[in-house]
Amino acid sequence: MNSPQLQRGVFLALLAIVTVAFLWVLVPFFGAVLWGVALAILFTPLYKWLLKKMPGKRNVAALSTLVICLFIVILPLAMVGVSLVQEIVQVTQSIRSGQINFAAYFQQILNAMPQWLMSIFDRFNLGDMEAWQERISAGAAQGSQLIAGQALTIGQNTFDFLISFFVMLYLLYFLVRDGSALSKTMREAVPLAKPHTHYLLNKFTTVIRATVKGNVAVAIAQGAIGGLAFWLLGVQGALLWAVLMAFLSLLPAVGAALIWGPVAIYFLATGHFWQGGILIFVGVFVIGLVDNILRPVLVGKDTQMPDYIVLMSTIGGMAIFGINGFVVGPVIAALFMAAWSLFVESGQWENPSADAGDDKKNS
């Protein structure tokens, strides 16, 4: 009865159960683990450089890397986050008090439209100004309530956030210090051919690095430029709009134009031609070109997926995983494409080591 086949089956079942149980335990810290892994991948080259400068001092090199990561990435984001919450509260109060009135802004745009365009609106039953104003007012009220609710939720979850934050820092330290050994152990443990495992892990690290280093850097640059332009032009809530532009910049084929475009139209419609002209110039020739200039330098053409795959995987990932989805979605899509590439292409399947080596050079 106690045959080797039965023992192997029981052991594999036990292995699957404890693996699922361990992942279940980590679910509350999903974001902390994800960002710990992402930052470890991003800052491991810095750790290796520091280790060359101080041979044998792995703990000191890892701690120095952690401190540099804190000052370069985490503290600036925390400061922006605090300022953003304060600005959200101010904008919400302005909307509720009527100081910011989107319906009035829309009415000004409609009043500036030529008669022939209004006739087209009327033909398609789009010219009912009162109905439009009611919709905009209702949408603005709902939006302000949603923003206020999210800000309140963030405040209520501050304790959970702090726990996750320190878990991320703790994990980041050990991943930076012991990441190479952990990666080697994982490659040996995964029941796949070694070239296939190496190829897939390289894809994983390449997409993580490209998403965090490339896409986030491009989004921050576009949001910062747009926010600075809004601030110089006197648009209220410039930091809030800057964050929204940065967020939308993560989505290919959508972009920051969804924010600066309507503002430019409002400027032109209300006779502020030079403000509208400056904003259009900045949006088209500065914000629009940042992606074409920075992304190839930071990411590299050979690591990018098609725009439609990035768009769908990013939106789908964020719908399922929240803000973490803009990293998780593209990673899943990249691993999906890499796995099927290995399976379908006979050259890849028989000898993927060449592509794995190419990927290693590119990463």
Side-chain angles (χ1 to χ4, degrees), residues 192 195-205 334-335 338-339 342 356:
L192 288 175
H196 301 159
T197 304
H198 188 71
Y199 177 72
L200 292 174
L201 285 178
N202 275 339
K203 278 291 182 184
F204 174 79
T205 55
L335 292 178
L342 284 175

Side-chain angles (χ1 to χ4, degrees), residues 34-54:
L34 172 68
W35 287 106
V37 172
L39 292 174
I41 291 173
L42 191 62
F43 281 89
T44 292
L46 174 62
Y47 165 75
K48 292 180 178 179
W49 181 82
L50 291 173
L51 194 59
K52 289 181 181 179
K53 299 296 182 181
M54 47 184 81

Side-chain angles (χ1 to χ4, degrees), residues 4-64:
Q5 292 80 4
L6 178 61
Q7 293 177 7
R8 179 176 176 81
V10 171
F11 175 75
L12 291 177
L14 176 63
L15 184 64
I17 291 172
V18 296
T19 301
V20 171
F22 178 70
L23 295 176
W24 184 33
V25 169
L26 293 182
V27 166
F29 303 103
F30 171 77
V33 173
L34 172 68
W35 287 106
V37 172
L39 292 174
I41 291 173
L42 191 62
F43 281 89
T44 292
L46 174 62
Y47 165 75
K48 292 180 178 179
W49 181 82
L50 291 173
L51 194 59
K52 289 181 181 179
K53 299 296 182 181
M54 47 184 81
K57 299 181 179 179
R58 296 170 60 244
N59 292 331
V60 177
L63 185 60
S64 301

Side-chain angles (χ1 to χ4, degrees), residues 220-252:
I220 291 174
Q222 292 183 332
I225 293 170
L228 180 62
F230 275 30
W231 179 72
L232 292 175
L233 294 174
V235 178
Q236 188 171 353
L239 178 60
L240 174 60
W241 303 124
V243 172
L244 290 176
M245 281 188 279
F247 178 77
L248 291 173
S249 297
L250 297 171
L251 304 177

Side-chain angles (χ1 to χ4, degrees), residues 87-88 90-105 137 140-141 144 235-237 240-241:
E87 188 145 318
I88 287 175
Q90 294 177 358
V91 171
T92 302
Q93 292 175 349
S94 299
I95 292 175
R96 290 177 174 175
S97 65
Q99 185 178 353
I100 297 179
N101 191 337
F102 291 104
Y105 300 155
S137 299
S144 64
V235 178
Q236 188 171 353
L240 174 60
W241 303 124

Side-chain angles (χ1 to χ4, degrees), residues 199 202 341-342 345 347-348 351-360 362:
Y199 177 72
N202 275 339
S341 176
L342 284 175
E345 299 177 15
Q348 291 268 17
N351 186 23
S353 57
D355 290 319
D358 292 342
D359 248 41
K360 185 178 181 181
N362 293 331

